[in-house]
Amino acid sequence: MESQSQSKVSMCMQCGMCSGSCPESGMTPFNIRMLVRKKLLTRDIEASIPWYCTSCGECTLRCPRDVKPSEMIFELRSALVEEGEIPLTIQKALENTYVQKNPWGRPRPKRGAWVEEAGLKIPHVKDTQSKRLLFTCCIQAYDPRCTVIPVNVAKILSQCGVEYGILGAEEVCCGNEIRRMGEMGLFEDLQQGNAAALEKYGVKEILALSPHCMNAFKKEYGDLGIKVSHYTELLAEMVAAGTLSFKTPYGKKVIYHDPCFLGKQNKIFDAPRNILKAIPGLELLEFTSSRENSLCCEGGGGRMFYEAEVAYQRNSEKRVLEAIEKGAEVIATACPFCVMTYEDPATDKGLLVRELSEIMMEAR
């Protein structure tokens, strides 16, 4: 029986919109139009090529025939995973997730350690009336650079009287990147485990701190019957309602980068910008390619765990140079993946990288 993906691929008319819009095409060996053609005609695909995809989704957005080329990439990777033809770093990330429920292999019992380390007292979601769950990304739970994000958001919510809870050590990877790395069985395991926890504790709302987690719960888990949003959506509503305000001027020129999973894939463009516009003294700048045309930072789709085998100018480096040309002092974003990919090239050029919550805390 022909798979749904193969049926979709047969609709391809080789117009080139996918490869023309792909941030990797022309810089790496990755050419999604060629992959579609090979899948359709020869099935002869070099094993390393599919791993260059960042899963930004631009190809699927641009395809006039709704072929969904990005889904085809995940299917190709799945076949490679089953055959064991995967980069060692990807294999390690998948093994870590299987054992410790996060790609970095950090101890599962330490998942909620950021709460205690910050001196916060946050109840388990089961002990809240609202049953609003604050869900942290694996990076935000474990990486020292990004643990400040859940701490900041938690403080802002508490200061504004918003009730919420966490899962603590019971929280596990959402599986968004695991699915995109092709490990469908492991993704289903994570999906089922998370769905069971949500049902067990009667969660009514998920406030995701990462666009990647939000995307998984919103689009990959089926109908959970639960409201799912990114934290910037709630905080932007609070700014509009006057329940969240900023008193300390932030006298810097800030250029905002739209994360792929927040912007082009989930159409959340205005909430982060409205928060930044509400901060006194902040001058908001825009990249030439912004909103749904935003240039991918190259952190998604498993690329956090895969080093490209060819030398080229990274998108993060291009963005940093453009930010400097536009006179920006700070690159702001609302995704931990983007923070991580921009941090090194920006620091080398004397430019600050700040997640939105960091700017908000400075302006409180």
Side-chain angles (χ1 to χ4, degrees), residues 55-310:
S55 75
C56 70
E58 190 74 31
C59 56
T60 292
L61 289 174
R62 301 299 173 201
C63 180
R65 298 292 293 271
D66 193 32
V67 171
K68 293 184 171 54
S70 53
E71 289 294 324
M72 186 207 72
I73 295 299
F74 309 153
E75 188 174 281
L76 286 174
R77 288 177 170 181
S78 181
L80 292 171
V81 168
E82 290 182 4
E83 295 168 6
E85 295 188 40
I86 58 176
L88 289 177
T89 50
I90 295 290
Q91 180 180 333
K92 183 63 175 176
L94 294 176
E95 290 175 351
N96 286 339
T97 306
Y98 178 78
V99 176
Q100 294 291 354
K101 303 305 180 185
N102 69 86
W104 282 267
R106 298 295 183 85
R108 185 176 177 182
K110 296 290 186 180
R111 180 85 184 200
W114 60 270
V115 178
E116 184 178 345
E117 290 170 2
L120 300 174
K121 292 184 178 180
I122 304 175
H124 191 285
V125 68
K126 67 181 179 183
D127 298 321
T128 66
Q129 290 187 338
S130 64
K131 296 296 187 289
R132 178 186 291 114
L133 172 65
L134 188 68
F135 192 91
T136 57
C137 174
C138 296
I139 304 178
Q140 296 164 329
Y142 294 111
D143 191 277
R145 172 61 185 90
C146 291
T147 52
V148 66
I149 300 171
V151 171
N152 287 341
V153 176
K155 287 181 178 179
I156 291 171
L157 292 175
S158 296
Q159 290 168 3
C160 294
V162 178
E163 188 194 41
Y164 63 95
I166 58 174
L167 287 173
E170 294 178 85
E171 183 180 272
V172 301
C173 179
C174 68
N176 192 73
E177 304 312 295
I178 302 305
R179 178 177 179 271
R180 282 154 181 77
M181 283 190 270
E183 230 310 352
M184 302 306 179
L186 180 55
F187 167 73
E188 290 175 3
D189 180 56
L190 295 169
Q191 176 191 23
Q192 292 168 5
N194 277 318
L198 297 174
E199 182 178 4
K200 177 181 178 180
Y201 297 121
V203 173
K204 297 178 181 178
E205 179 181 351
I206 298 173
L207 198 61
L209 292 175
S210 167
H212 294 248
C213 300
M214 178 197 69
N215 185 77
F217 287 122
K218 204 170 185 178
K219 292 185 172 181
E220 313 286 5
Y221 275 49
D223 185 10
L224 292 170
I226 297 172
K227 179 182 178 181
V228 179
S229 60
H230 187 253
Y231 85 87
T232 57
E233 295 181 273
L234 174 60
L235 296 192
E237 291 175 1
M238 293 165 59
V239 167
T243 54
L244 172 61
S245 60
F246 307 99
K247 300 176 182 178
T248 304
Y250 191 83
K252 292 183 175 66
K253 294 181 179 180
V254 177
I255 193 164
Y256 177 70
H257 166 76
D258 289 280
C260 294
F261 279 87
L262 189 65
K264 67 182 63 176
Q265 294 202 35
N266 283 283
K267 311 303 180 188
I268 300 172
F269 303 113
D270 295 325
R273 287 175 170 83
N274 289 342
I275 291 172
L276 291 172
K277 289 176 182 177
I279 296 175
L282 186 152
E283 182 179 346
L284 182 60
L285 306 177
E286 293 283 356
F287 284 105
T288 302
S289 299
S290 63
R291 299 177 78 89
E292 64 182 15
N293 293 318
S294 180
L295 184 64
C296 177
C297 77
E298 298 182 296
R303 283 294 296 272
M304 289 287 286
F305 311 100
Y306 177 64
E307 186 64 30
E309 298 175 357
V310 294

Side-chain angles (χ1 to χ4, degrees), residues 13 26-27 44-45 63 230 239 262 269 323 351 360:
M13 60 184 182
M27 298 191 303
D44 182 20
I45 297 171
C63 180
H230 187 253
V239 167
L262 189 65
F269 303 113
L351 198 64
M360 283 189 275

